[in-house]
Amino acid sequence: MAKKQIAAANHHRATEDDPVFGYRALPGIADEMLDQEGNVRPVWQRLLATLGRLDETELANRFARADRYLRDAGVFYRVYGAKENAERSWPLSHIPVLIDEKEWATVSEGLVQRAELLEKVVADIYGENRLVREGLLPPALVASNPEFLRPLVGVKPADGHFLHFVSFEIGRGPDGNWWVLSDRTEAPSGAGFALENRVATTRAFSNLYAETHVHRLAGFFGEFRETLQSRKLHPDDRIAVLSPGIANETYFEHAYIARYLGFMLLEGEDLTVVGGRVMVRTVAGLKPVGVLWRRLDAAFADPLELNQSSHIGTPGIVEALRAGSVSIVNALGTGIVETRAFLAFLPAICRHLLGEEQHLPSIATWWCGQQAEREQVAADLDRMVIGPAYATRPFFDDNGQSVLGASLDEPARAAIADWLGAEGGKLVGQEVVTLSTTPAWVRGRLTPRPMSLRVFAARTRDGWQIMPGGFARIGSGDDVAAIAMQAGGTAADVWIVSERPVERTTLLPAEESFTRNMPGSLPSRAADNLFWLGRYIERAEGALRILRAWHGRFAETANPDLPLLKDVSDYLAALDIDTRQAVPDSLLANISSALFSAGNIRDRFSPDGWLALNDLSLTARKFHATVQSGDDATRAMTVLLRKLAGFAGLVHENMYRFTGWRFLSIGRYIERGLHMTRLLGHMSGPDAPDGAYDMLLEIGDSVMTHRRRYNVSTAALTVTDLLALDPLNPRSVLYQLNEIKTEVELLPNAFVNGQMSPFYREAMRLHSSLAVMTPEAMNLGVYNRLERDLEGLSDLLARTYLG
């Protein structure tokens, strides 16, 4: 598109023959950028002027900058059912959606009313049940609803509220008015992605964002965080985000929100209920949890009283709710009002409970469990979409469960009345949605695409507050069904623009004084993942060093049957490392395991560290497919070692020296000690093949140190002294035991009633027993016993802290 066409947009009116810079609103459909007369809305003019000053190369560079930020930050969503590569990069639509703050104030007013209405409906369903008794809700709509949790009837939330954080899918109709397409009250997702959309979009339009009076998002999250802090019943209570785990499609967001707000990220297995209180298992023992912002479906929260097949919940959660010892955001069972059929009854309920009409109406909906509604749906079939009554998403996002009436053939139309009569209680008819469009950048030009907005509401100490923005879901084509990201849709930032400067809020405290709080308790599961992350990384490094030494010698001789190469190959084979592969499968497995462990602690892991680990994994997989044995493999191992060293350096230099760091470090020290112990036991005996000592020094990165420390050539005693017993050599076994002893001393409960814990005592014993050894006393039996003791120390750590 030509720059001059964009620049002229401020004073241009779209017509059929001369559209604004090639952008033409679709006939009969409202557009976010153009008003009903075809004029550019004032709120868009600054953005268009900015686009007009940029050529295509500069614009492409800006969009690439935004994409690079999302990629570097590791933002992803998960595609269910994908056979491979289930994680997908977050699909950003780079052009934000702009809405004037005056219009947004009207939308917000309607959503605040709606949030309060939904609160009252949920409170009635699990309380007095007057809506059913007075005929405003059909009994079957509650009793047969899979989201209705009978064990929660009569259970009042500890803080008096069922809903705390909700979202709404809204769209603008052809008449320009906003409609609610669906309510999300169960475990609304997307708020974290809205934040990341904002950061990425401002990377593309940093100058524009700075010049435009766009309402910030931090204040919304800050108010909600302070509200959750006030919900704690006891001063020592923790606040946590409760996630289903890494396999969930929005797990990235769970970790991001937890890190952004400073809350713990927990899974069901991290929790237990003791004496009616929810407790988190930490390395320092059980600690109380007072507020849980749950991100898993309510039915899976408690396998004891709800879904017995759940493996992601915590037995006893319902008991704790009855005891009033924990607040859950949102309360269990609130998902009932997000089921599609409820939209049909909200207008009458609003008039009954609030004495007023809905300010922001729902999409027209008919529950087919009633005769008149069935007849209405059948009579107006061409403008209807028929779908599951208890679905919780708009029809365009329900994976094809809904049927478009206009698409039915004659035999299906003839049978529609029988279908509705037999299955009516499970079906709803909804008016076909015609959503407004918004500009998206498609193949080098602005193109109208259908759009819906996801907007968030949080209960604060001053009442409901609406996020000044959210994110827009943009269709990949003209079909509204293509809005869902699982179907190829994208997501755009939403800018609420003011005529005046807006407050630039931050989550940082405003006071000049501060209190240095200690980092929160470390959950045992997080400690376990950190410990094994350290072990897997060190295991991969050990394998890389041996393989590099092996391939370097193979490159010189091309004979794998030489005694030294054959001996090392046999040693590696016992560890499931096949030297016939230049980059063995087991090496990839160790790196993948490290990535998995890091993925389970995304809330505690730096974005730079995650990026470095991903880069290591991608490079290793590339080499696995392309590298040949010998010199090529030697160079590849050197590249991987440098990347691994870069990751280790990032962690070492940037990770806060608290409990999590200690478990990561202990994992590395144990694995490095095992690596060197096994090698020495295998390669330093009297029958070691020629060249074994030189190879040991190379693997132990100690060739230069050996030359400086000993005035003799390599020999069994000097190599043993340097790699087993030298306390100053960071590759020696004794050095690892010394570091383990130092870290263990600083772990929680290292001393119990003034006495060493069994784990600390064992670490001390291992260190002292090796510290008094001489090189002459080291033999295969000593190495074998030391290997068993190091493995036993790992098991003892697990029993002490990770159970």
Side-chain angles (χ1 to χ4, degrees), residues 363-376:
I363 179 177
T365 304
W366 294 265
W367 180 54
C368 297
Q370 298 165 308
Q371 180 67 29
E373 283 71 12
R374 287 196 295 272
E375 293 174 356
Q376 177 76 35

Side-chain angles (χ1 to χ4, degrees), residues 29 35 39 50 57 135 273 294 378 417 461 467 504 525 552 575 612 651 660 714 746 751 797:
I29 296 178
D35 62 21
N39 297 313
T50 299
T57 300
V273 177
R294 68 176 176 90
R461 290 167 293 183
M467 180 190 291
R504 299 195 174 189
R525 181 182 54 84
L575 300 177
V651 172
T714 55
L746 298 173
F751 289 90
L797 179 143

Side-chain angles (χ1 to χ4, degrees), residues 138-160:
L141 196 60
V142 175
S144 301
N145 198 313
E147 301 296 330
F148 176 59
L149 302 181
R150 196 174 301 274
L152 276 302
V153 172
V155 178
K156 295 182 178 180
D159 66 349

Side-chain angles (χ1 to χ4, degrees), residues 528-600:
D528 190 27
N529 280 288
L530 285 163
F531 174 72
W532 279 100
L533 172 62
R535 290 200 64 172
Y536 286 128
I537 285 297
E538 197 62 40
R539 192 173 294 177
E541 181 179 343
L544 283 170
R545 290 189 176 279
I546 300 175
L547 288 168
R548 184 173 66 170
W550 190 93
H551 282 286
R553 286 155 178 77
F554 176 74
E556 297 173 356
T557 64
N559 182 7
D561 293 324
L562 285 177
L564 178 60
L565 296 184
K566 181 67 169 59
D567 183 71
V568 174
S569 291
D570 292 343
Y571 170 79
L572 290 173
L575 300 177
D576 197 29
I577 300 174
D578 189 352
T579 53
R580 291 173 298 180
Q581 293 180 299
V583 181
D585 293 336
S586 56
L587 176 62
L588 296 183
N590 282 326
I591 295 175
S592 295
S593 295
L595 198 61
F596 180 80
S597 294
N600 277 296

Side-chain angles (χ1 to χ4, degrees), residues 445-563:
R445 62 181 295 163
L446 289 180
T447 305
R449 287 287 186 255
M451 173 209 76
S452 70
L453 293 187
R454 183 167 298 180
V455 188
F456 302 90
R459 184 185 296 281
T460 70
R461 290 167 293 183
D462 298 322
W464 287 102
Q465 182 171 329
I466 306 301
M467 180 190 291
F471 73 84
R473 297 202 291 169
I474 312 296
S476 58
D478 293 340
D479 184 3
V480 68
I483 282 180
M485 279 181 288
Q486 302 279 345
T490 56
D493 191 16
V494 178
W495 291 8
I496 308 304
V497 182
S498 173
E499 296 177 352
R500 300 174 300 277
V502 298
E503 182 181 2
R504 299 195 174 189
T505 54
T506 174
L507 289 188
L508 297 176
E511 294 82 8
E512 293 184 3
S513 62
F514 65 92
T515 300
R516 179 184 290 171
N517 296 318
M518 292 301 291
S521 303
L522 181 68
S524 297
R525 181 182 54 84
D528 190 27
N529 280 288
L530 285 163
F531 174 72
W532 279 100
L533 172 62
R535 290 200 64 172
Y536 286 128
I537 285 297
E538 197 62 40
R539 192 173 294 177
E541 181 179 343
L544 283 170
R545 290 189 176 279
I546 300 175
L547 288 168
R548 184 173 66 170
W550 190 93
H551 282 286
R553 286 155 178 77
F554 176 74
E556 297 173 356
T557 64
N559 182 7
D561 293 324
L562 285 177

Side-chain angles (χ1 to χ4, degrees), residues 750-796:
F751 289 90
V752 179
N753 296 326
Q755 294 184 334
M756 292 182 184
S757 69
F759 178 60
Y760 186 23
R761 185 180 297 112
E762 178 63 9
M764 288 285 289
R765 185 191 69 80
L766 281 182
H767 174 265
S768 58
S769 63
L770 187 63
V772 298
M773 295 291 286
T774 62
E776 293 83 358
M778 300 297 292
N779 55 46
L780 181 59
V782 172
Y783 288 123
N784 287 341
R785 183 170 62 253
L786 184 56
E787 180 183 349
R788 290 193 300 270
D789 287 345
L790 282 167
E791 291 285 14
L793 187 66
S794 175
D795 294 339
L796 187 55

Side-chain angles (χ1 to χ4, degrees), residues 51 54-64 95 205 441:
L51 292 176
L54 304 175
D55 60 30
E56 293 184 5
T57 300
E58 172 63 17
L59 203 54
N61 289 338
R62 286 172 175 254
F63 292 165
I95 305 298
F205 298 108
W441 192 258

